[in-house]
Amino acid sequence: CMSSTSELKQRVIGAVDTLRADLIDVANRIHANPELGFQETAAAKLLTDTLEGHGLDVERGVAGLDTAFVATLQGREAGPIIAFLAEYDALPGLGHACGHNLIAAAAVGAGLAMRTVLPDLAGEIRVIGTPAEEGGGGKVIMVDAGVFDDVDAAMMVHPSSRDLIGRKSLTVFHVDIEFFGKAAHAASWPDEGINALDAVILTFNGINALRQHMRDDARIHGIITHGGDAPNIIPDHTSASVLVRALDTPYASALLERVRACAEGAAQATGARLEFKQAGPRYDARWPNPKLVALAKANFETLGVDVALAGENERMGSSDIGNVSQVVPAIHPYVAIASDEVVGHSPEFREAAGSARGHEAMLNAAKALAMTAVDLLAEQDNLREAKQAFEAQKQAQGDV
């Protein structure tokens, strides 16, 4: 006979409890050995060995990335494919101050817990290891390589100082701007020089003039990375690094072109030559899937975790899960591992990512992810509604 959804959920909860010590060990080992994006060899090995050791089929080096992987678990027959995403890169100098060690352990926990219910369900679970979220855009590369082409829904959690679900994120373009002028002595031959510093300053002034005419959700911020070599020489080379963000990709793209126009105008005004190029992949805006949000919220609440629904004016950054959320229905809830005043990317947050509170949040996250996968595989209407909501989000954005 078919088991009820609530009985299947009890099974995955019990499975995570059984795996408790192993999952905490995985989280702690990654925490103790932080690795930067695309260099997460020890973390990828630990995660793939753990998954393989529990009977999952593991493919390593996915999408041409050494530290990316896909671990697969089959149900009793073919059906929907549900993915749990793991991140495991650390920050330069700060280690796991973003708590990616807990993201990885939660994804593994959810994947392993599903072994207890998949014999009763049609479908497939994948634990997908996605490197280099901190700027490298591992998920962007994997989306482009087709890793998500046959996935029906994707889920992950992220540590935070709040229990929160439904938060969006901003599309971000990262651009490098360089100006090439002509050096000359600033006192005796200034008329012979072409001032690349003036060009970069004019670019920032142009951007500042643009701010009045931007939508409220847009952000442009940057730094001058090279301003010249000596005060008595007209600078012949300057550079800047600028981020352009907005709540939707088409608007961010349009804004990027206006920033380019600011730089072109500065080049025109000074006579300096401009090089304007995108640095790294574009992180797309995140679309939290409303149906998946509702299911996961209810599952967290069953576990005694009171998850707030993100408000319209939520503060937000950018993440490469956005790119995944624009090709498959996805969610990225936040679980509290520290009190409100602790901010991400801080030493205090790194401590929280290795704490008992961090471990409890990770275990609840593993349970909630697995429970939500049960909702999708045991009751097909849930997935159908998630896909309808996704199509509506796609229509709302229009063409990218």
Side-chain angles (χ1 to χ4, degrees):
C1 72
M2 285 297 289
S3 305
S4 72
T5 303
S6 62
E7 197 269 324
L8 294 171
K9 286 184 183 181
Q10 285 308 315
R11 268 194 244 170
V12 296
I13 291 169
V16 173
D17 285 334
T18 304
L19 290 160
R20 179 189 174 90
D22 291 346
L23 296 174
I24 291 173
D25 183 54
V26 165
N28 284 342
R29 284 167 66 183
I30 296 175
H31 189 266
N33 181 27
E35 299 165 302
L36 299 182
F38 299 125
Q39 298 163 37
E40 317 97 331
T41 42
K45 183 176 184 344
L46 173 64
L47 296 168
T48 52
D49 287 355
T50 303
L51 290 160
E52 207 165 50
H54 285 280
L56 276 73
D57 290 322
V58 176
E59 185 191 345
R60 297 169 172 83
V62 170
L65 303 174
D66 290 347
T67 53
F69 64 85
V70 177
T72 309
L73 194 62
Q74 304 292 344
R76 62 179 161 80
E77 62 193 36
I81 297 169
I82 311 300
F84 302 129
L85 310 191
E87 293 175 3
Y88 31 91
D89 60 322
L91 291 156
L94 276 170
H96 279 286
C98 212
H100 291 188
N101 60 309
L102 298 174
I103 300 178
V108 167
L112 296 183
M114 292 302 289
R115 290 175 314 160
T116 60
V117 295
L118 275 182
D120 290 355
L121 296 168
E124 184 181 310
I125 291 296
R126 290 185 193 163
V127 179
I128 302 182
T130 67
E133 185 272 333
E134 301 288 355
K139 292 183 200 64
V140 185
I141 296 165
M142 295 173 81
V143 165
D144 292 346
V147 172
F148 293 91
D149 286 0
D150 59 349
V151 172
D152 291 285
M155 299 183 260
M156 61 174 287
V157 292
H158 201 295
S160 175
S161 56
R162 298 161 66 194
D163 292 303
L164 183 69
I165 197 164
R167 185 187 190 210
K168 296 175 180 172
S169 73
L170 304 171
T171 289
V172 62
F173 287 94
H174 184 180
V175 290
D176 285 337
I177 299 173
E178 282 188 283
F179 289 102
F180 299 89
K182 186 182 165 204
H185 193 286
S188 51
W189 300 98
D191 48 307
E192 294 291 323
I194 294 175
N195 196 319
L197 178 59
D198 285 342
V200 84
I201 290 170
L202 282 173
T203 302
F204 277 85
N205 288 341
I207 290 169
N208 287 337
L210 178 60
R211 292 187 195 283
Q212 183 190 346
H213 312 286
M214 285 172 13
R215 266 179 8 198
D216 285 352
D217 59 273
R219 301 280 187 270
I220 304 175
H221 42 103
I223 58 169
I224 296 174
T225 50
H226 184 68
D229 296 307
N232 63 342
I233 301 169
I234 302 288
D236 64 346
H237 172 248
T238 54
S239 58
S241 182
V242 176
L243 301 179
V244 180
R245 307 190 201 233
L247 252 179
D248 65 84
T249 302
Y251 186 72
S253 298
L255 206 51
L256 178 69
E257 290 315 303
R258 297 187 73 176
V259 171
R260 187 195 302 273
C262 291
E264 285 170 348
Q268 188 78 39
T270 57
R273 180 172 65 82
L274 165 68
E275 275 189 24
F276 187 98
K277 56 179 183 289
Q278 245 178 276
R282 174 186 83 214
Y283 281 22
D284 274 325
R286 178 159 75 236
W287 300 346
N289 184 276
K291 182 64 184 180
L292 297 183
V293 163
L295 293 170
K297 188 175 193 296
N299 288 326
F300 271 111
E301 282 161 6
T302 300
L303 297 167
V305 181
D306 185 19
V307 185
L309 200 54
E312 269 310 295
N313 300 316
E314 199 65 54
R315 291 173 179 270
M316 61 193 89
S318 307
S319 158
D320 61 2
I321 184 67
N323 301 63
V324 176
S325 78
Q326 294 201 16
V327 293
V328 299
I331 48 166
H332 179 278
Y334 294 85
V335 291
I337 66 167
S339 53
D340 259 359
E341 67 280 0
V342 176
V343 296
H345 292 206
S346 68
E348 294 77 15
F349 200 84
R350 176 185 61 216
E351 297 316 305
S355 70
R357 180 173 178 181
H359 298 149
E360 291 311 317
M362 174 272 291
L363 294 165
N364 277 328
K367 291 173 184 176
L369 289 177
M371 291 162 77
T372 307
V374 166
D375 283 324
L376 298 176
L377 295 179
E379 298 178 29
Q380 297 276 307
D381 279 358
N382 286 327
L383 189 57
R384 195 173 46 75
E385 287 173 39
K387 290 190 164 183
Q388 285 168 345
F390 172 73
E391 289 306 322
Q393 287 172 314
K394 222 158 142 174
Q395 297 280 279
Q397 167 161 295
D399 295 329
V400 175

